[in-house]
Amino acid sequence: MSRIQACFAKLKQENRAALVTFLTAGDPDYATALTILRGLPGAGADVIEMGMPFTDPMADGPAIQLANQRALGNGMSLRKTLQMVREFREGNDHTPIVLMGYYNPIHHYGVDAFIRDAKQAGVDGMIVVDVPAEHNEELCEPAQAGGIDFIRLTTPTTDDQRLPTVLKDSSGFIYYVSVAGVTGGATASLDQVSEAVARLRRHSDLPVCIGFGIRTAEHAANVARLADGVVVGSALVDKINAAVTPEQAIADVLAQCREISEGVRGARL
């Protein structure tokens, strides 16, 4: 059983949703980002998504675009991202790590080499937003053959005719983008989320995680009653953007994570 499977199986027994947190690797700098990464599980994160810094993060809103700029400006790279995972694994062998980003850096690194190095570093899953299901042979199939889950995004515009193609060979969990647009934007109504989760469950047995626009403990709790996981990213990245010092960034991100985690953990009580 993979770390992702084990995590969701455990949470199902506990009758609660997962808190999936997102941060850009190396934001605002390597040392600060690593300290935050190591602190997230203790602050309530069940699964951690790490953004792979890229110059053109087209699916992301202003907050995460700025995070990419900060990380790249401080010398972050894909190799350093994998190094960060390796350092995290020295003290944590159970929290799933999912890398999220774009194909260009992986293609430049070399697909086979990247999958090998990512697996050795301790990566569990991958979300690559600009590789469609029609090109599974590019990355999805090699990743899964190398023991890394390939997680698909679905959106409100992914209709029932398209869904089987999108979900074909998907593994780990389904990431449902609850609004049409970029990260950190508007939020969907709970009725819309409920309907989307029910529709996805008709097509797949994989856990369904909801993201985009979730910023508060109350909102996270409401979504946690409907889905298998709640993804929070921009709300945490904003804390880094607003921090004056690295120490403040660490404290504020982990405090926000704890607050949202309390909402998620109390949602089904």
Side-chain angles (χ1 to χ4, degrees):
M1 185 178 287
S2 71
R3 288 189 189 96
I4 293 175
Q5 290 172 322
C7 175
F8 282 101
K10 177 176 178 289
L11 295 180
K12 186 174 183 179
Q13 289 182 336
E14 296 175 4
N15 188 34
R16 72 172 179 88
L19 173 58
V20 183
T21 58
F22 171 92
L23 288 171
T24 299
D27 178 36
D29 59 70
Y30 190 97
T32 305
L34 180 59
T35 300
I36 293 172
L37 178 65
R38 285 171 166 164
L40 283 172
D46 299 295
V47 179
I48 298 172
E49 290 180 7
M50 290 176 61
M52 297 177 282
F54 182 49
T55 53
D56 188 24
M58 59 189 178
D60 294 299
I64 295 175
Q65 288 181 19
L66 287 171
N68 277 265
Q69 291 174 16
R70 287 191 296 268
L72 291 169
N74 281 314
M76 199 61 183
S77 66
L78 197 49
R79 291 188 185 278
K80 288 185 177 180
T81 298
L82 297 183
Q83 176 61 28
M84 187 171 287
V85 177
R86 281 191 289 271
E87 292 191 56
F88 174 80
R89 284 284 173 235
E90 291 172 2
N92 183 309
D93 194 43
H94 65 275
T95 302
I97 294 281
V98 176
L99 297 184
M100 185 171 185
Y102 302 83
Y103 184 47
N104 184 286
I106 297 171
H107 179 72
H108 181 73
Y109 192 111
V111 169
D112 292 341
F114 174 74
I115 291 168
R116 179 198 65 224
D117 292 352
K119 181 64 177 178
Q120 289 176 352
V123 171
D124 302 291
M126 193 184 305
I127 302 171
V128 182
V129 302
D130 54 351
V131 179
E134 287 80 4
H135 296 280
N136 274 350
E137 72 283 355
E138 287 279 340
L139 189 57
C140 173
E141 292 172 6
Q144 291 176 331
I148 296 176
D149 283 318
F150 200 84
I151 298 155
R152 291 286 186 193
L153 298 179
T154 64
T155 74
T157 58
T158 312
D159 60 25
D160 285 314
Q161 184 176 357
R162 174 70 177 160
L163 262 180
T165 301
V166 173
L167 296 178
K168 183 178 183 295
D169 299 323
S170 182
S171 58
F173 59 87
I174 300 168
Y175 187 144
Y176 178 68
V177 176
S178 60
V179 292
V182 296
T183 56
T187 60
S189 72
L190 293 178
D191 286 343
Q192 290 171 323
V193 170
S194 179
E195 182 179 327
V197 171
R199 187 165 69 94
L200 289 167
R201 285 179 173 156
R202 289 196 295 269
H203 286 269
S204 175
D205 293 329
L206 291 173
V208 178
C209 297
I210 308 294
F212 282 46
I214 299 171
R215 291 183 167 272
T216 67
E218 181 183 7
H219 190 190
N222 288 334
V223 173
R225 295 185 185 100
L226 304 173
D228 302 298
V230 179
V231 185
V232 178
S234 294
L236 301 178
V237 175
D238 282 343
K239 296 296 184 183
I240 296 174
N241 187 46
V244 176
T245 64
E247 292 76 16
Q248 183 186 354
I250 294 164
D252 288 355
V253 169
L254 297 182
Q256 179 82 344
C257 182
R258 279 190 290 269
E259 181 180 330
I260 293 174
S261 173
E262 288 173 5
V264 171
R265 289 168 186 263
R268 300 181 188 175
L269 297 179

